[in-house]
Amino acid sequence: DTISNYGTVTGSVNLVAGTNMFNNNAGGLYNMGVNTVLGTGNALTNIGTVSPGSVNNVFTSAITGNFAQTGLGTYLLDLDFGANAGDRINVTGTGSMAGLLQLNSLNKGQAQSGDHQVTITSAAGGKAQAGRTRRQASSGRVDQSHSMGNQTDAAANAGDTSQTPTHAATTA
C-alpha cells in the first residue's frame, strides 16, 4: 500500500504487512500519532512537514520501518525548556535526516542555566546525515543547535547565552 499525502494527516498509520510506503509530499503535513507501522524495510519519506503529536505538544512517535527526510523536508520540533524535553521520533529501521529542522520553543523563560541535550530522533538500524538547516526566531536568551550524537541518535542542544540573541543557523 502507498499513502501519498499532499494535505494533512493526523494520528497513527498502520499499513501492517506487505510493501508499504508513506510519502509525505511537498505541502503535506503529517501530525504523527503514537505509531506509524509500515513494516520492516518499508519507509516514510518526508518531503513536506512532520510533527510528532502536532505543534505545541511534546510527543514521542514510533516508526516501524525506515524514515528518510529529504533536503526539502521539514521536521517541526517542539522543544520545552521548562521540562528539558522535546519531540522524538523512534525508528526501528534506518533514519536519514536532511532538510529543515524548525524549532518551536516552549517555556523559554524557564530555561535553566548550563547545557542541555534531548534526543529528537533514534534509528535502531543506524542513521545517515546530509546537510540540514535549522530555523528559529530570535530568542535573546537561548542558543539551540542540532548534533548527530552517536550512530543511532540525533539530539537538540540548548545552552544559556543570555547576552547573545540567536538567529537562524545552518548545520552540515
Side-chain angles (χ1 to χ4, degrees):
D1 295 322
T2 299
I3 295 174
S4 292
N5 179 36
Y6 292 92
T8 301
V9 173
T10 299
S12 293
V13 171
N14 189 347
L15 297 181
V16 192
T19 302
N20 301 308
M21 292 185 297
F22 186 132
N23 298 314
N24 192 49
N25 295 295
L29 171 62
Y30 181 28
N31 291 313
M32 302 174 76
V34 173
N35 295 302
T36 301
V37 180
L38 302 172
T40 303
N42 299 318
L44 166 59
T45 301
N46 183 42
I47 303 168
T49 301
V50 294
S51 178
S54 73
V55 70
N56 293 323
N57 179 27
V58 173
F59 196 80
T60 298
S61 295
I63 298 173
T64 301
N66 301 322
F67 176 63
Q69 178 165 299
T70 71
L72 300 174
T74 299
Y75 180 165
L76 178 53
L77 172 72
D78 292 314
L79 195 57
D80 185 341
F81 289 97
N84 191 37
D87 286 338
R88 180 173 174 145
I89 300 174
N90 292 324
V91 183
T92 62
T94 60
S96 175
M97 293 288 291
L100 190 67
L101 177 64
Q102 184 173 343
L103 299 175
N104 179 42
S105 299
L106 304 172
N107 298 311
K108 289 185 281 190
Q110 296 177 18
Q112 301 172 9
S113 64
D115 294 331
H116 304 276
Q117 183 177 62
V118 295
T119 300
I120 60 172
T121 59
S122 182
K127 64 181 175 356
Q129 173 188 359
R132 283 175 321 286
T133 302
R134 183 175 52 85
R135 181 174 62 201
Q136 70 178 75
S138 176
S139 68
R141 191 178 151 79
V142 178
D143 174 51
Q144 301 167 346
S145 66
H146 182 241
S147 65
M148 289 310 288
N150 57 37
Q151 292 301 308
T152 59
D153 299 337
N157 305 292
D160 182 7
T161 58
S162 56
Q163 303 301 316
T164 308
T166 301
H167 299 281
T170 300
T171 59

